[in-house]
Amino acid sequence: MPATNTIDGHTFAINEEGFFTQRDDWNEELAGILAELIGVEMTDAHWKALRFMRDDQATTGVTPTLRRMQTVGGFDVKELYRLFPGKPAKKMSYLAGLPKPIGCV
Amino acid sequence: MRSVPEGFVVPNFGPAPAAAAASGRTRTEVAGGGSSGDTGPRKLALICSKGNLDMAYPGLILGNAAASEGVEVHVFFTFWGLDIVNTKTNGNLKFTMVGNTAMHMNELGRIKPGLEHRSMPQIMGRIPGMTKFATWMMKKQIAELDVPDVPDFLDLMQAAGVHMYACRMTFDMMKLIEADMHPGVEGVISATDFIEISENAQTIFI
């Protein structure tokens, strides 16, 4: 039985760190709740980054790194650091319902 | 900020930057007490002293990775390491197989299995054009992994908030000018300045 998190009627499978293991367990309402938990105030710019992450992961099978967000998604890295301060790549992948990125850059 | 329900597992995103700054605490204060397992804000100091292409990347990758983990990063470029932030040289760093006894090439395995693990004779590095070829090869392999070239990497680090400095002594010795420095370089500072800046940091010399 894999571990799960439950909040406000949403249940999703997680790994030992708490990251999603099933991308289909995610929905935008849940993302909004999780954002509140980790202290991120969602705006359109935040959602744009999360949607790109999910779309990109759907085609490549891996969570995009910050570098890929820049080169493929056209996002400004400085802006991503501002939107998701501290650990941008990890915060974004968490809120997008994806595993944390494995790339080095 | 909503509190985390009991039994709910949230990945470790570190302390909220605003909260950590507001409390004004330092690493040493936190290390002295507290039972939460929170070690406080981390700080990393990197000293980049080499200007070879293959010796530039370790510092850039570590510094950038640490920044994306919320670590405060300070990089001091000294001696040949200044070539990494000198815009006149940093697009043209080279890799040479001379003096590198670990020089082996994956591609050679296609010629004869096992050859990819054998180090190449040092004399081959002296063949004219070999450094150029080896540099081209390494740059190609780096680009294939979507890892940026050195100038782009510095842009990335600057965007990530990495603090970069040039070594005053090297700067004077090599007669460099500030206009040639990558814009991410915050200043030309002395060794003692860097020692002060890197107080309580984990320090890595490359």
Side-chain angles (χ1 to χ4, degrees), chain A residues 80-101:
Chain A
L80 294 176
Y81 271 88
R82 193 184 65 75
L83 295 171
F84 303 92
K87 305 188 182 191
K90 278 191 181 167
K91 282 184 177 173
M92 283 190 287
S93 53
Y94 181 61
L95 296 179
L98 304 171
K100 65 182 179 186

Side-chain angles (χ1 to χ4, degrees), chain B residues 46 48 52-64 206:
Chain B
L46 296 168
C48 294
N52 309 48
L53 182 64
D54 53 323
M55 291 307 285
Y57 273 95
L60 302 181
I61 287 173
L62 283 174
N64 187 59
I206 299 166

